[in-house]
Amino acid sequence: MKLLLVLILPLFSLTAFNSKSVSTQQNDLALSQEKHLRNLRQLTFGGENAEAYFSNDGKRLIFQSTRDGRECDQIYTMNVDGSDVRLVSTGDGRTTCSYFAANGKRILYSSTHLGAKPCPPRPDFSQGYVWAVYDTFDIFTAKPDVSDVKQLTSTPGYDAETTISLNGKLVFTSKRDGDLDIYTMDRNGRNVKRLTSELGYDGGPFWSYDGRQIVYRAYHPQTEKEKEDYVSLLKQNLIRPTVLDVWVMNADGSNKRQVTKLNKASFAPYFFPDGKRIIFSSNAADPKGRDFDLYQINTDGTGLERITYNDTFDGFPMFSPDGKKLVFASNRNAKSRGDTNIFIADWVE
């Protein structure tokens, strides 16, 4: 999830698109170095589109997008070939972090629409580059035809970054206990359990395919100055995303272990179907921190390998249920500076 798209995109759009970096083949936008990608196709064209995730049958994608004249993101679905785009959120407020239930009969997303219909204000960058964690975000479930919208969270504080396992268990990020931590709950919003408790941001969780593990991103301040800065910003519903690492834990919150130690912003981790590897996005190769690429790594922290070489942004990767395709968001092939679109490719081992 996954970093909130609406909060990350301003950073990505700082990097101008370099048209020379894209293959001239219209049917494959992969670069020559991107040996794991084949038949890379663009599914959306223009604006801000990201966090696209497969339905369990592999036929549909759910994603967030700023389009139709709206000022901030709403949730949409489309076929895996980019056709049949449909609005599936209310159209009010700001939305993020959408996902299909395993049976495909319901969707999940977070929204601020109960707090106010207009988009909430963007964060104030006078304190540097920060993300806003809006207190008015709650988690909702609905049918894909936009009917039967049900609120799953009502506790004061940010509730977002939700994904769901094949057996229907939800994992999400919340500020309900004063810090940004990871929780699980049943599909009806009951039996909430807190999994993390260390000071700092723990978020963007995803389940492994067997539901036994959770991969997530985290920042745990170490020095007193870092702790003071983190706490001060959090009181303003802000966080500073300069350094994030990929972590893994068991589904019950036990056996937490840090996977990456890159001292960079590594986020949007997702398990390979084998449960032994993780794909994620990071700016590890860019000294200026603006170019994000996809990487893979073993769950024990070995075998780091760069996957994409686009010179702007690649992020939010997810494998199809059969592991044969990869969907992700990218600035590549942009018509306008800052455009972020959804791409899909065949995965090559």
Side-chain angles (χ1 to χ4, degrees):
M1 214 163 304
K2 31 199 194 262
L3 290 177
L4 291 177
L5 168 67
V6 296
L7 310 179
I8 299 174
L9 279 177
L11 172 62
F12 300 154
S13 64
L14 290 175
T15 307
F17 171 73
N18 182 353
S19 61
K20 295 181 180 179
S21 68
V22 176
S23 167
T24 57
Q25 300 180 49
Q26 295 302 311
N27 61 343
D28 191 349
L29 295 171
L31 308 181
S32 60
Q33 309 100 305
E34 296 173 338
K35 61 184 181 180
H36 289 289
L37 306 181
R38 182 180 299 153
N39 298 323
L40 180 62
R41 287 94 67 200
Q42 185 171 344
L43 302 183
T44 64
F45 298 86
E48 298 177 357
N49 308 271
E51 293 202 56
Y53 303 120
F54 283 99
S55 59
N56 197 45
D57 62 7
K59 296 180 179 180
R60 298 280 289 174
L61 293 166
I62 190 167
F63 66 107
Q64 61 193 57
S65 178
T66 301
R67 59 173 65 201
D68 302 332
R70 293 186 170 91
E71 295 181 2
C72 57
D73 289 321
Q74 290 294 315
I75 305 303
Y76 295 80
T77 60
M78 64 180 169
N79 293 331
V80 292
D81 63 0
S83 64
D84 192 25
V85 177
R86 302 180 185 182
L87 174 68
V88 294
S89 54
T90 66
D92 296 327
R94 183 186 294 275
T95 63
T96 189
C97 307
S98 56
Y99 218 71
F100 280 106
N103 60 13
K105 295 181 179 180
R106 298 194 71 84
I107 59 171
L108 290 166
Y109 61 90
S110 286
S111 177
T112 66
H113 72 268
L114 290 186
K117 288 189 176 183
C119 299
R122 292 184 177 272
D124 179 6
F125 294 117
S126 64
Q127 300 183 78
Y129 187 75
V130 293
W131 298 333
V133 285
Y134 300 107
D135 271 351
T136 50
F137 263 129
D138 276 304
I139 301 168
F140 296 84
T141 178
K143 292 181 179 180
D145 63 2
V146 203
S147 67
D148 195 29
V149 178
K150 296 180 180 179
Q151 184 178 2
L152 295 182
T153 61
S154 56
T155 304
Y158 174 85
D159 291 303
E161 305 173 31
T162 313
T163 59
I164 186 167
S165 68
L166 291 178
N167 65 5
K169 196 76 172 180
L170 276 64
V171 64
F172 64 102
T173 303
S174 179
K175 194 190 170 192
R176 63 184 58 205
D177 292 317
D179 197 5
L180 287 166
D181 285 296
I182 294 174
Y183 298 74
T184 56
M185 65 180 174
D186 295 342
R187 70 186 74 189
N188 59 8
R190 299 174 182 172
N191 296 320
V192 176
K193 179 183 178 180
R194 184 176 177 178
L195 302 187
T196 62
S197 57
E198 188 171 355
L199 179 67
Y201 170 61
D202 297 288
F206 281 92
W207 297 94
S208 59
Y209 281 66
D210 61 9
R212 295 180 180 180
Q213 299 181 88
I214 295 170
V215 65
Y216 60 105
R217 60 174 179 257
Y219 166 66
H220 301 144
Q222 300 299 311
T223 68
E224 289 304 313
K225 183 178 180 181
E226 290 173 346
K227 293 176 182 178
E228 290 175 4
D229 180 66
Y230 174 79
V231 171
S232 175
L233 287 174
L234 192 59
K235 289 179 179 178
Q236 305 169 61
N237 294 323
L238 300 170
I239 56 173
R240 195 184 311 281
T242 307
V243 177
L244 292 166
D245 276 299
V246 176
W247 286 65
V248 171
M249 61 181 165
N250 293 342
D252 62 1
S254 63
N255 193 24
K256 296 179 180 67
R257 60 264 194 207
Q258 184 174 347
V259 178
T260 64
K261 298 180 181 179
L262 301 175
N263 197 34
K264 288 283 190 172
S266 299
F267 77 102
Y270 192 82
F271 277 107
F272 277 71
D274 61 17
K276 299 177 180 179
R277 294 172 292 167
I278 297 164
I279 190 168
F280 66 100
S281 181
S282 180
N283 57 357
D286 183 7
K288 295 183 179 180
R290 295 181 176 181
D291 177 14
F292 283 78
D293 285 290
L294 301 183
Y295 293 80
Q296 69 172 354
I297 193 170
N298 297 326
T299 55
D300 64 1
T302 63
L304 180 67
E305 180 184 354
R306 186 172 174 177
I307 302 299
T308 62
Y309 289 81
N310 168 45
D311 58 2
T312 53
F313 167 74
D314 295 308
F316 305 111
M318 182 190 187
F319 286 103
S320 58
D322 60 8
K324 294 182 179 180
K325 295 186 183 299
L326 183 76
V327 67
F328 63 98
S330 179
N331 290 151
R332 68 181 67 202
N333 207 40
K335 294 182 178 180
S336 301
R337 177 172 174 166
D339 277 2
T340 304
N341 286 295
I342 307 300
F343 293 78
I344 192 170
D346 299 333
W347 177 258
V348 180
E349 285 288 354

